[in-house]
Amino acid sequence: MNLSNLKPAVGSTKNEKRIGRGEGSTRGGTSTRGHKGAKSRSGYKRKSGFEGGQMPLQRRVPKFGFNNINRVEYKAINLDVLTSLLEKNSTTTMDAAYFVANGLASKNAKIKVLGRGEVNAALEVHAHAFSKSAAEAIEKAGGKAVTL
């Protein structure tokens, strides 16, 4: 078997419906478009969301709030997670690449360290943002909270 003798399964393909080829084809005349109306004309293009004059769904559903285009999304990592990582890997320097390697953040994510949990060891944590309580807890344990 090779590419030159491959064929589709029997009955899986049909001949294309040829329209507009004269009355003898039984598909001449209006060419399956029906009589009159926008869809029968050449150049007709359906407007997306058009519902035949009925108020379209996107206009009749109530809208509220707004999306702030300047919002910065952070991946939150708590102090108890840092402590468990310390026990597992015994490294005291944690940066973005370290979090990505351990599956806590994606490559382009901004990281924020939050204050749930406790830190007992002196950690040097590099992140894009820290909550006040997290920064205080890290520095109280003798570590450094470095903002990227």
Side-chain angles (χ1 to χ4, degrees), residues 16-32:
E16 176 187 357
K17 185 194 282 190
R18 298 186 73 225
I19 60 174
R21 292 294 180 272
E23 291 304 311
S25 70
T26 71
R27 295 199 184 90
T30 59
S31 302
T32 73

Side-chain angles (χ1 to χ4, degrees), residues 28-116:
T30 59
S31 302
T32 73
R33 290 167 174 248
H35 296 280
K36 298 184 184 176
K39 286 189 210 173
S40 72
R41 318 272 185 214
S42 68
Y44 167 74
K45 201 165 112 186
R46 199 182 106 256
K47 288 191 176 97
S48 64
F50 184 67
E51 298 181 13
Q54 173 177 297
M55 186 62 69
L57 181 69
Q58 76 269 18
R59 288 190 60 199
R60 61 181 188 260
V61 171
K63 291 153 188 70
F64 56 90
F66 77 106
N67 290 326
N68 185 353
I69 60 171
N70 298 317
R71 179 183 168 86
V72 179
E73 283 287 334
Y74 289 101
K75 176 68 180 149
I77 299 175
N78 279 292
L79 293 177
D80 55 359
V81 176
L82 298 183
T83 306
S84 64
L85 279 176
L86 179 67
E87 292 167 2
K88 204 188 298 182
N89 300 335
S90 69
T91 182
T92 56
T93 304
M94 299 179 180
D95 59 356
Y98 179 80
F99 294 129
V100 170
N102 285 287
L104 291 172
S106 63
K107 187 171 71 170
N108 298 322
K110 292 188 182 291
I111 298 161
K112 183 168 185 173
V113 179
L114 302 179
R116 186 186 73 204

